[in-house]
Coordinates of all heavy atoms in Angstrom, one line a residue:
C32 N 98.6 168.1 79.6 CA 99.3 167.0 80.3 C 98.9 165.7 79.6 O 99.7 164.8 79.4 CB 98.9 167.0 81.7 SG 99.8 168.1 82.7
A33 N 97.6 165.5 79.2 CA 97.2 164.3 78.5 C 97.9 164.1 77.2 O 98.3 163.0 76.8 CB 95.7 164.3 78.3
V36 N 101.4 162.8 77.9 CA 101.3 161.4 78.3 C 101.3 160.6 77.0 O 102.1 159.5 76.9 CB 100.1 161.1 79.1 CG1 99.8 159.6 79.2 CG2 100.1 161.7 80.5
E38 N 102.5 161.4 74.1 CA 103.8 161.5 73.4 C 104.7 160.6 74.1 O 105.6 160.0 73.5 CB 104.3 163.0 73.5 CG 103.4 163.9 72.7 CD 103.7 165.4 72.9 OE1 104.6 165.7 73.7 OE2 103.1 166.2 72.3
L41 N 104.1 156.9 73.2 CA 104.4 156.6 71.8 C 105.9 156.5 71.7 O 106.5 155.7 70.9 CB 103.8 157.7 70.9 CG 102.3 157.6 70.7 CD1 101.8 158.7 70.0 CD2 101.9 156.3 70.0
R53 N 93.4 153.5 80.4 CA 93.7 152.5 81.5 C 92.6 152.5 82.4 O 92.3 153.4 83.3 CB 95.0 153.0 82.2 CG 96.3 153.2 81.4 CD 96.5 151.9 80.6 NE 96.5 150.7 81.4 CZ 96.7 149.5 80.9 NH1 96.8 149.3 79.6 NH2 96.7 148.4 81.6
P54 N 91.7 151.5 82.4 CA 90.5 151.5 83.3 C 90.8 151.5 84.7 O 90.1 152.2 85.5 CB 89.9 150.1 82.9 CG 90.5 149.7 81.6 CD 91.8 150.3 81.5
A58 N 89.4 154.5 87.3 CA 88.6 154.2 88.4 C 89.2 154.8 89.6 O 88.4 155.3 90.5 CB 88.5 152.6 88.5
R62 N 87.2 157.5 92.0 CA 86.9 157.2 93.4 C 87.5 158.3 94.3 O 86.8 158.7 95.3 CB 87.6 155.8 93.8 CG 86.8 154.6 93.3 CD 87.4 153.3 93.9 NE 87.2 152.2 93.0 CZ 88.1 151.5 92.5 NH1 89.4 151.7 92.8 NH2 87.9 150.5 91.8
G70 N 81.6 169.3 98.2 CA 80.3 169.7 98.1 C 80.3 171.2 97.6 O 81.3 171.8 97.5
L89 N 91.2 162.3 76.8 CA 91.6 161.1 76.2 C 91.4 161.2 74.7 O 92.3 160.6 74.0 CB 90.8 159.9 76.8 CG 91.3 158.5 76.4 CD1 92.7 158.2 76.9 CD2 90.3 157.5 77.0
V122 N 79.8 153.0 68.1 CA 79.6 152.2 66.8 C 78.4 151.2 67.1 O 78.6 150.3 67.8 CB 80.8 151.5 66.4 CG1 80.5 150.7 65.2 CG2 82.0 152.4 66.2
I176 N 67.4 151.4 84.8 CA 66.6 151.4 83.6 C 65.2 152.0 83.8 O 64.4 151.4 84.6 CB 66.4 149.9 83.0 CG1 67.9 149.3 82.8 CG2 65.6 149.9 81.8 CD1 68.7 150.0 81.8
S183 N 54.3 159.5 69.1 CA 54.5 160.7 68.3 C 53.7 161.9 68.8 O 52.6 161.7 69.3 CB 54.1 160.4 66.8 OG 54.0 161.6 66.1
Q206 N 53.2 144.2 84.7 CA 52.1 144.5 85.6 C 51.5 145.9 85.3 O 50.3 146.0 85.3 CB 52.7 144.5 87.0 CG 53.1 143.2 87.5 CD 53.7 143.2 88.9 OE1 53.4 144.2 89.7 NE2 54.5 142.2 89.3
A230 N 57.2 153.8 66.4 CA 56.2 154.7 67.1 C 56.2 156.1 66.5 O 55.2 156.8 66.4 CB 56.4 154.8 68.6
E233 N 54.3 155.4 62.8 CA 53.0 154.8 62.6 C 52.0 155.4 63.5 O 52.1 155.6 64.6 CB 53.2 153.3 63.0 CG 54.1 152.5 62.0 CD 54.1 151.0 62.5 OE1 53.2 150.6 63.1 OE2 55.1 150.4 62.1
A240 N 60.4 152.7 75.8 CA 61.8 152.9 75.6 C 62.3 154.0 76.6 O 61.5 154.4 77.4 CB 62.0 153.5 74.1
G241 N 63.5 154.3 76.5 CA 64.1 155.2 77.4 C 64.3 156.7 76.9 O 63.9 157.0 75.8
G294 N 79.7 116.1 94.1 CA 80.5 116.9 94.9 C 81.3 117.9 94.0 O 82.1 118.7 94.5
A295 N 81.0 117.9 92.7 CA 81.8 118.7 91.8 C 81.6 120.2 92.1 O 82.6 121.0 92.2 CB 81.4 118.5 90.4
H304 N 85.4 130.0 99.9 CA 85.0 130.0 101.3 C 86.3 130.0 102.2 O 86.4 130.8 103.1 CB 84.1 129.0 101.7 CG 83.7 128.9 103.2 ND1 83.0 129.8 103.8 CD2 84.1 128.0 104.1 CE1 82.9 129.5 105.1 NE2 83.6 128.4 105.3
R305 N 87.1 129.0 101.9 CA 88.3 128.9 102.8 C 89.2 130.1 102.8 O 89.9 130.4 103.7 CB 89.0 127.6 102.4 CG 90.2 127.2 103.2 CD 90.6 125.7 103.1 NE 90.2 125.1 101.9 CZ 91.0 125.0 100.8 NH1 92.2 125.7 100.9 NH2 90.5 124.5 99.7
P338 N 97.2 137.6 96.0 CA 97.8 136.3 96.5 C 96.6 135.3 96.8 O 96.6 134.2 96.4 CB 98.6 136.7 97.7 CG 99.0 138.1 97.5 CD 97.9 138.8 96.8
R356 N 90.2 132.3 82.5 CA 90.2 133.6 83.2 C 89.7 134.7 82.3 O 90.3 135.1 81.3 CB 91.6 133.9 83.7 CG 92.1 132.9 84.7 CD 93.6 133.1 84.9 NE 94.2 132.3 86.0 CZ 94.4 131.1 86.1 NH1 94.2 130.3 84.9 NH2 94.9 130.5 87.1
G363 N 82.3 148.9 89.2 CA 81.8 150.2 88.6 C 81.8 151.3 89.6 O 81.2 151.1 90.7

Side-chain angles (χ1 to χ4, degrees):
C32 279
V36 167
E38 292 169 2
L41 290 170
R53 301 306 310 176
R62 284 191 208 120
L89 188 62
V122 183
I176 304 298
S183 165
Q206 294 177 22
E233 296 182 21
H304 171 71
R305 183 159 27 89
R356 294 165 170 82

